[in-house]
Amino acid sequence: MIEELRSTKIGCHMGTICLNNLSYTDDIVLLSPSIRGLRKLLAICEHYAGDHGLKYNVNKTQMMVFHSGTGPERIPLAFLDGEAVARVSLFRYLGHILTEDLRDNHDIERERRALAVRCNMLARRFARCSPKARLTLFRAYCQCFYTCQLWLDSTKNERSSIRVQYNNAFRILMKLPKYCSASSIFANARVPDYFAVIRSRVAAFWSRIRDSKNEILRVCYQCPENPILQYWRAVHRDNNCK
């Protein structure tokens, strides 16, 4: 089915690569710059499912529209197995929250809350551990920032909120005063601050994409207008990760 979808050349393109579907385990994402193209891709999926005795769960199928600023205000419906596909403004894909305006505020808030939960769990369960052990736990559980490499469009308040949460998590776990200097405590403990963690994760991710053999990722890396690449470069120039 994936090969048939790509062979149609219907949908989105990056350079010479047709990028009309992304598949991971039992999930598939269809990408098209028009509702007409999306309907054709859905029809291919329907025919494949019918020929192989499969059935889609329409209730779990959703559609998101990313506005370009020049498209129509009213978007026609798309159908799967005769039922209209629900349109949403927010969707969680592989743990990352996507919104139709392509802002990352919701995903940053998701990670901020997850960080708060992990910090409180560690502080409660390992309060009697040695400082060295708690420091190891902090490095392992509080520097994840899942999909932070994609946070290229967010408000200043949202970026500040997760940075403050990271600082507070270290203070709580290490039993430090609430208002002590963040820069001092990280320097003394030889632990990277929030900005250093972001730069490190972005650099590691950038390196993996650069060395990847995947044709889609290689096109992403080689496109100079790619906003994600521009953000990654800015991260290493700007200490505020804007």
Side-chain angles (χ1 to χ4, degrees), residues 19 64-65 77 79 100 112 136 141 144 179 192 195 217 234:
L19 184 59
M64 182 178 290
V65 177
L77 296 175
F79 296 89
E100 60 183 3
R112 188 196 67 79
T136 300
Y141 289 96
C144 305
Y179 296 105
F195 301 118
L217 295 181

Side-chain angles (χ1 to χ4, degrees), residues 12-66:
C12 295
H13 289 75
M14 293 182 63
T16 60
I17 304 298
C18 179
L19 184 59
N20 57 14
N21 73 92
L22 299 172
S23 299
Y24 184 79
T25 60
D26 60 345
D27 288 331
I28 184 168
V29 176
L30 301 179
L31 302 168
S32 173
S34 68
I35 194 68
R36 182 180 180 182
L38 182 62
R39 286 173 171 175
K40 291 182 179 180
L41 296 176
L42 284 170
I44 292 173
C45 294
E46 285 183 358
H47 293 155
Y48 182 89
D51 293 342
H52 293 81
L54 303 174
K55 185 175 178 61
Y56 294 105
N57 188 336
V58 183
N59 294 328
K60 291 185 178 181
T61 305
Q62 298 176 325
M63 176 177 72
M64 182 178 290
V65 177
F66 303 103

Side-chain angles (χ1 to χ4, degrees), residues 182-212:
S183 57
S184 298
I185 59 177
F186 288 123
N188 293 335
R190 296 187 177 182
V191 173
D193 64 6
Y194 170 78
F195 301 118
V197 173
I198 296 295
R199 286 194 295 270
S200 175
R201 291 184 61 82
V202 164
F205 193 65
W206 191 349
S207 177
R208 291 199 300 273
I209 288 183
R210 181 190 59 199
D211 299 334
S212 173

Side-chain angles (χ1 to χ4, degrees), residues 42 54 81 111 126 132 138 155 158 211 217 231 242:
L42 284 170
L54 303 174
D81 292 338
E111 185 59 24
F126 301 97
K132 183 177 180 180
F138 178 83
T155 62
E158 206 62 53
D211 299 334
L217 295 181
Y231 163 70
K242 295 180 179 179

Side-chain angles (χ1 to χ4, degrees), residues 16-172:
T16 60
I17 304 298
C18 179
L19 184 59
N20 57 14
N21 73 92
L22 299 172
S23 299
Y24 184 79
T25 60
D26 60 345
D27 288 331
I28 184 168
V29 176
L30 301 179
L31 302 168
S32 173
S34 68
I35 194 68
R36 182 180 180 182
L38 182 62
R39 286 173 171 175
K40 291 182 179 180
L41 296 176
L42 284 170
I44 292 173
C45 294
E46 285 183 358
H47 293 155
Y48 182 89
D51 293 342
H52 293 81
L54 303 174
K55 185 175 178 61
Y56 294 105
N57 188 336
V58 183
N59 294 328
K60 291 185 178 181
T61 305
Q62 298 176 325
M63 176 177 72
M64 182 178 290
V65 177
F66 303 103
H67 291 282
S68 64
T70 59
E73 294 184 3
R74 182 180 177 276
I75 306 297
L77 296 175
F79 296 89
L80 180 63
D81 292 338
E83 297 184 38
V85 177
R87 179 180 169 182
V88 297
S89 59
L90 183 149
F91 184 77
R92 185 189 292 261
Y93 181 62
L94 302 182
H96 182 85
I97 297 178
L98 290 166
T99 59
E100 60 183 3
D101 61 0
L102 293 176
R103 302 295 298 273
D104 297 303
N105 295 331
H106 287 282
D107 195 65
I108 293 176
E109 177 62 15
R110 168 199 58 77
E111 185 59 24
R112 188 196 67 79
R113 294 186 179 187
L115 176 59
V117 170
R118 293 194 297 269
C119 167
N120 292 332
M121 179 272 293
L122 294 173
R124 183 175 64 255
R125 294 186 179 182
F126 301 97
R128 297 184 179 181
C129 289
S130 67
K132 183 177 180 180
R134 283 182 273 124
L135 189 59
T136 300
L137 290 168
F138 178 83
R139 290 179 181 274
Y141 289 96
C142 298
Q143 294 181 343
C144 305
F145 298 139
Y146 180 66
T147 70
C148 66
Q149 303 91 337
L150 306 179
W151 295 343
L152 58 94
D153 191 355
S154 59
T155 62
K156 184 177 180 180
N157 288 340
E158 206 62 53
R159 294 193 301 271
S160 177
S161 68
I162 191 168
R163 176 179 58 81
V164 170
Q165 186 69 62
Y166 177 77
N167 296 346
N168 288 338
F170 188 78
R171 292 187 182 103
I172 291 171

